[in-house]
Amino acid sequence: YTLVLWCFGIFILQRIEPFNLKIGTAYPVLLVPAVMVIACFLREWSGFIAGLLCGIALDTVTNGTQYFNTLALILLGVATGLTFKLLLNRNIKAMIIVSVLGSLLYFALKWLFLDLFGGDPSATQLLIRYHLPSAVYTSLFAIPFFFYTRYLCKKYLIEQ
């Protein structure tokens, strides 16, 4: 329950205007690294549930996505959980690499399905000016999220 409340807090804080984290054209989607970090520590089923809940929350406030965020975050949560279960050790270096790749995948899928296939004439410009910087910026938040989630798992003796 603590991690669900933490994700809900991240979601609410990102929607409050004074807490705007936008730098230039880069705008982070903080729930992307949150889902991946939860999946890192609690594996694929928790990644699925976190991706489902966070994706639904994002889809309720985002115009025109129609379940894109839900499907993308479920995919990222399950893939991250399975990657750490089968291939990688749970450490900060691996989490940074997975976070960068996951953020790039999320924003590439967002660009592909919502901009390119959506018929936006400036899709290439959006990729370069918005999606790529946002992916890098989003992945940076995995570092503090990793340490906070690790702290919560140790404090509440959540089995990892």
Side-chain angles (χ1 to χ4, degrees), residues 39 43-44 77-88:
R43 304 297 186 230
E44 68 275 4
V78 172
T80 302
L82 287 173
T83 300
F84 277 97
K85 181 179 179 179
L86 301 174
L87 299 173
L88 298 174

Side-chain angles (χ1 to χ4, degrees), residues 31-92:
L31 291 178
V32 171
V35 167
M36 290 192 294
V37 169
I38 289 170
C40 166
F41 281 96
L42 302 175
R43 304 297 186 230
E44 68 275 4
W45 283 107
S46 296
F48 175 83
I49 298 298
L52 177 69
L53 296 175
C54 292
I56 289 171
L58 278 177
D59 282 333
T60 60
V61 297
T62 309
N63 293 332
T65 59
Q66 302 203 354
Y67 308 113
F68 168 77
N69 290 309
T70 303
L71 295 175
L73 290 180
I74 287 173
L75 172 72
L76 284 177
V78 172
T80 302
L82 287 173
T83 300
F84 277 97
K85 181 179 179 179
L86 301 174
L87 299 173
L88 298 174
N89 292 328
R90 196 175 323 124
N91 58 44
I92 189 65

Side-chain angles (χ1 to χ4, degrees), residues 6-22:
W6 175 60
C7 286
F8 183 69
I10 290 171
F11 174 71
I12 295 298
L13 281 176
Q14 192 167 10
R15 298 292 166 221
I16 297 173
E17 190 60 36
F19 193 70
N20 191 353
L21 296 172
K22 186 175 182 178

Side-chain angles (χ1 to χ4, degrees), residues 106-123:
Y106 173 80
F107 281 98
L109 289 173
K110 188 174 183 179
W111 172 75
L112 185 68
F113 289 113
L114 301 180
D115 296 331
L116 190 64
F117 292 159
D120 194 339
S122 60

Side-chain angles (χ1 to χ4, degrees), residues 101-136:
L101 293 175
S103 295
L104 284 171
L105 177 64
Y106 173 80
F107 281 98
L109 289 173
K110 188 174 183 179
W111 172 75
L112 185 68
F113 289 113
L114 301 180
D115 296 331
L116 190 64
F117 292 159
D120 194 339
S122 60
T124 306
Q125 186 178 10
L126 281 171
L127 175 66
I128 295 168
R129 295 195 71 219
Y130 169 72
H131 292 294
L132 289 178
S134 294
V136 173

